[in-house]
Amino acid sequence: MIKLNPLVIPKFDIQRFSSRDWEDVTYRGRRRWSGNHGQVWINNEKIFEHKSFEAKVVINDEDVTIGDSVDRKVVGLAGEGEIVIVNVFNRGFSDYLAELKNGHDPRFTIVAKHEDPDMLNAGKERIIIDNVWFEELVLMQFEKGTVRETTIPFGFTPQDAYYTETVEL
């Protein structure tokens, strides 16, 4: 066992690290994604007060029995997600409500960018999701002693989602 004097800074031992796999050193904790640098735009308007963003594709499938085994067959894809915003102002909800009341079904384009300057190769990913509709419209909500947050669930067609930037090794 090596005893270290806490007042003396040990010399860097390159031999100690030379036997480690490159992945051990390359993928350290600081290389993990942090959501602090994520950005979201709806119809080219930056949503600066977002707290979180998620978009996913849900796979709809049916069971297929082959002998005694149950397999699956994909029969469709559905896009869904949500944006949580920490409200600063109405964000055009009144215009959206008016469109709905007039019988229109407004659709939107969402662009989301996730980057982290400390990520491997200064990682950045960007996705564009078109044909987005909102699942509900919260007209008003508040609670004493809390900062107002609004969750906006949305749907989209997976065929209208694509990456424009991805992290490569």
Side-chain angles (χ1 to χ4, degrees), residues 141-152:
Q141 74 182 70
F142 52 87
E143 179 180 343
K144 288 185 178 186
T146 63
V147 173
R148 180 177 163 189
E149 290 183 6
T150 301
T151 300
I152 305 170

Side-chain angles (χ1 to χ4, degrees), residues 63-127:
D63 288 346
V64 177
T65 304
I66 301 171
D68 291 337
S69 298
V70 177
D71 201 344
R72 71 178 203 161
K73 171 68 177 170
V74 175
V75 295
L77 304 174
E80 60 183 48
E82 72 177 24
I83 303 169
V84 177
I85 61 173
V86 181
N87 295 86
V88 175
F89 59 97
N90 188 310
R91 177 72 58 203
F93 292 166
S94 60
D95 294 338
Y96 184 58
L97 176 61
E99 287 290 310
L100 291 171
K101 288 167 51 177
N102 287 326
H104 298 284
D105 184 5
R107 299 298 168 110
F108 304 90
T109 300
I110 293 178
V111 176
K113 180 175 81 168
H114 191 197
E115 66 180 322
D116 189 334
D118 211 18
M119 178 64 183
L120 188 65
N121 299 328
K124 182 187 314 181
E125 292 187 332
R126 184 185 313 255
I127 191 165

